[in-house]
Amino acid sequence: MATTDQMSEAVKTNCAGVEIDTRMRVGEAWVAADERETAPVINPSTAQAFAEVPQATEEDAQLALEAARSAQPGWAALTPGERAGYLRRVAELIHADSERLARIISLEEGKPLPESRFEVQGWTAGFFEYFSGFGRAAHGEILPSDNRGEEVQSRKVPYGVCVAVTPWNFPSAMPARKVAPALMAGNAMVVKPSSTTPLSALALAAIFERAGIPAGIVSVLPGPGGKLGEALVRNPITQLVTLTGSVGAGERIAAGAAENLAAVSLELGGKAPFIVMDDADIESAARHALTARFQNNGQVCTCNERTYVHRRVYDEFIDRYVALARELKLGDPLDEATDLGPKVTQEELEKVEQMVDRAREQGGEVLTGGKRAEVPGFDGGYWYEPTVITTTSNDIEIMQKEIFGPVSPVMAIDSFEEALQFANDSEYGLSAYLFSNDAKTVHRFIEGCDFGELYINKIGPEQLNGYHTGYRHSGILGDDGTHGLEKYSRRRTAYVSWREDTAADLMPAAARSNRPA
């Protein structure tokens, strides 16, 4: 089997000066595009295919899971410090290859290059760096026993084989977010990346091999979410499934995993409210709201999805916000000056277009944007103008359903209580924002905003040592930090005695104390 450094030119694709390896990792094997049916990877800037990727079969899923089950005990037998060493090596290799990895993201997802660089260096490498720091962390606890000469040991042990289903909006960071803690906890993992953006995950697979991670510990299987996803999730070898994706995907995965009672962690959609009170710095609030809405073209689950502004500062905010939105530059994602790239697919573009049309029908007023954009040199790409819409109703679709695009609905509110009521009136519960300098308002927001992740006078992204978790339709459990690591372990309890027992000693202590004289 050839190593990554020895791979032939036949498995490489070169696009815009970026070298891409299109092979998939199935257990111990590398599978090239000429060995399976393939699917094109589309550059959303041009709507043109630039690579062909092999599509994993149900048989590949079985082979990858079996390889993971075989390799995992040896991986778990390493000390945490030894596993941490592999994670540090992965991070080093990611940093060394960061420019190529960033350009792959920009090509397959359309993300502006500066954002892609942050994804690779700040998050992809960052997850491996952060979780490698748990090499000497506590892995259990000793509890007192009710009996003398005994103790109760509670230790963390890995699940064994995990499956990760990752999305297209952060095609490098999301696999890393799941693989790094899973491996640190002693698990093996099979990753199914989005079929829209598989190349970043495949690039990580090659890095894992170069870092010396044993074959079988991480497989990466691109392919459609239907049959392939079902084959991974419903397989009895799979002990834990972690997904970042849509609510519908989460529901299907939860149902599939339930067949074998596999553990499930789901990070799903979001509809983040962004509240601006009348005591806030309006210039700062407008700029933060803009970034929180339009970063990655609005394709972030924590994005500012609906903005509520106190009526006393509403006009000032809207004027500044619209002016800033009009300054955003659409263009080539590989151009350093670009602010917004294209939508990721034709389907996503049409969804946003339809939501804006329905907002107009339901009384929304488009202040800027509101239609597909024309970008010179990129005819046919999935471009949409940065759009700001005002509304007087919190019940219209665009205030209730996730947009996931460069469209920002804004509404005036008369009080914090009204804003909080509108914010909580949602099926989602992931992230929420408040801009206010009043301590009581901040406290009421923290106490009463029914979301898992709150930002006050700042925006994200979330930090590696936090805990990224949502309520309601935004998911189950979460990622990052010590709690994100803990979900990849389960507890094993041992009751240990060192003394010789008499027959009477075998009786529970409580029973001995109450027995008749």
Side-chain angles (χ1 to χ4, degrees):
M1 180 180 67
T3 66
T4 302
D5 294 330
Q6 297 169 330
M7 64 186 177
S8 69
E9 293 299 322
V11 299
K12 295 180 182 178
T13 297
N14 193 290
C15 180
V18 182
E19 189 177 89
I20 298 168
D21 182 356
T22 59
R23 298 173 304 165
M24 66 179 175
R25 181 70 157 169
V26 183
E28 298 182 1
W30 288 102
V31 179
D34 60 0
E35 299 177 69
R36 294 288 187 277
E37 292 186 6
T38 63
V41 181
I42 305 297
N43 182 338
S45 298
T46 62
Q48 299 298 312
F50 68 97
E52 291 285 334
V53 170
Q55 300 295 282
T57 64
E58 294 173 70
E59 291 74 18
D60 290 323
Q62 183 67 31
L63 289 171
L65 290 171
E66 290 176 356
R69 180 173 59 184
S70 177
Q72 185 271 331
W75 179 255
L78 298 176
T79 68
E82 288 171 326
R83 293 197 295 272
Y86 284 100
L87 267 62
R88 286 192 294 271
R89 177 60 176 155
V90 170
E92 292 168 358
L93 291 171
I94 291 170
H95 280 303
D97 203 15
S98 61
E99 185 65 17
R100 184 181 72 92
L101 297 175
R103 288 177 177 269
I104 290 173
I105 295 172
S106 294
L107 286 171
E108 70 175 342
E109 197 229 315
K111 185 174 294 177
L113 188 56
E115 292 186 36
S116 296
R117 287 177 178 141
F118 177 81
E119 177 176 344
V120 171
Q121 297 174 10
W123 277 8
T124 308
F127 284 120
F128 286 95
E129 290 168 338
Y130 173 75
F131 285 109
S132 72
F134 287 85
R136 291 186 174 89
H139 282 261
E141 54 192 344
I142 296 177
L143 305 173
S145 172
D146 291 340
N147 305 309
R148 295 177 184 175
E150 298 180 6
E151 68 182 19
V152 182
Q153 300 177 1
S154 177
R155 65 184 64 199
K156 300 175 186 177
V157 297
Y159 275 90
V161 177
C162 304
V163 165
V165 182
T166 60
W168 49 259
N169 60 331
F170 288 92
S172 181
M174 292 302 102
R177 187 181 222 168
K178 299 177 186 301
V179 170
L183 266 58
M184 190 63 231
N187 298 283
M189 178 167 273
V190 179
V191 179
K192 199 211 85 63
S194 167
S195 56
T196 302
T197 57
L199 297 174
S200 293
L202 295 176
L204 288 179
I207 285 176
F208 297 153
E209 183 188 57
R210 289 172 58 200
I213 292 176
I217 294 300
V218 184
S219 291
V220 178
L221 307 184
K227 288 185 178 180
L228 179 59
E230 293 283 305
L232 292 170
V233 170
R234 295 179 183 271
N235 196 297
I237 296 175
T238 301
Q239 296 296 298
L240 181 147
V241 182
T242 174
L243 161 80
T244 297
S246 68
V247 174
E251 292 171 342
R252 291 190 295 274
I253 281 177
E259 291 186 5
N260 294 300
L261 298 180
V264 174
S265 173
L266 307 173
E267 190 222 332
L268 309 177
K271 189 68 179 174
F274 194 108
I275 300 170
V276 180
M277 296 304 296
D278 56 342
D279 65 323
D281 180 326
I282 299 305
E283 175 69 20
S284 175
R287 289 185 176 277
H288 281 86
L290 187 90
T291 301
R293 172 63 269 180
F294 293 103
Q295 61 183 333
N296 196 20
N297 210 1
Q299 300 170 139
V300 184
C301 57
T302 59
C303 264
N304 162 24
E305 279 267 339
R306 48 197 170 118
T307 304
Y308 301 102
V309 183
H310 197 286
R311 197 173 301 277
R312 281 196 285 267
V313 295
Y314 178 79
D315 290 340
E316 179 185 358
F317 178 90
I318 280 291
D319 288 346
R320 188 67 186 122
Y321 193 56
V322 170
L324 291 169
R326 287 173 176 163
E327 293 175 3
L328 293 172
K329 179 184 175 182
L330 279 74
D332 183 356
L334 296 177
D335 185 339
E336 302 277 354
T338 293
D339 295 312
L340 266 69
K343 286 290 295 172
V344 70
T345 63
Q346 178 72 23
E347 181 183 11
E348 284 289 318
L349 175 64
E350 291 174 354
K351 185 194 78 171
V352 168
E353 195 172 38
Q354 292 163 6
M355 291 190 77
V356 172
D357 289 343
R358 285 194 291 270
R360 285 191 176 101
E361 295 169 0
Q362 295 172 346
E365 180 184 359
V366 175
L367 300 186
T368 189
K371 64 182 186 297
R372 296 191 187 194
E374 295 183 3
V375 179
F378 292 92
D379 296 339
Y382 311 132
W383 303 94
Y384 200 85
E385 295 179 341
T387 300
V388 178
I389 299 176
T390 59
T391 179
T392 58
S393 172
N394 196 52
D395 296 326
I396 68 172
E397 180 191 62
I398 208 163
M399 296 296 282
Q400 292 294 324
K401 299 297 182 183
E402 189 174 30
I403 306 166
F404 227 60
V407 177
S408 182
V410 185
M411 181 178 174
I413 47 94
D414 293 302
S415 66
F416 173 74
E417 288 75 20
E418 183 180 41
L420 189 63
Q421 176 188 343
F422 288 157
N424 287 335
D425 181 19
S426 175
E427 65 184 27
Y428 297 103
L430 184 55
S431 300
Y433 303 84
L434 170 69
F435 273 69
S436 173
N437 291 312
D438 180 71
K440 289 184 178 179
T441 299
V442 170
H443 180 75
R444 287 152 64 200
F445 178 73
I446 295 172
E447 289 290 320
C449 194
D450 196 21
F451 288 72
E453 191 171 277
L454 306 180
Y455 296 88
I456 296 98
N457 295 324
K458 72 177 304 296
I459 60 174
E462 59 272 20
Q463 296 182 17
L464 299 174
N465 61 339
Y467 186 50
H468 184 60
T469 184
Y471 304 161
R472 300 184 295 283
H473 282 185
S474 288
I476 303 170
L477 297 180
D479 291 298
D480 307 342
T482 57
H483 300 296
L485 175 63
E486 286 171 356
K487 82 177 184 186
Y488 291 102
S489 300
R490 45 189 168 186
R491 291 278 180 169
R492 177 175 295 155
T493 303
Y495 298 89
V496 183
S497 174
W498 297 274
R499 62 187 183 131
E500 295 183 4
D501 293 311
T502 66
D505 290 328
L506 296 177
M507 190 180 298
R512 290 200 306 272
S513 64
N514 293 320
R515 65 189 177 190

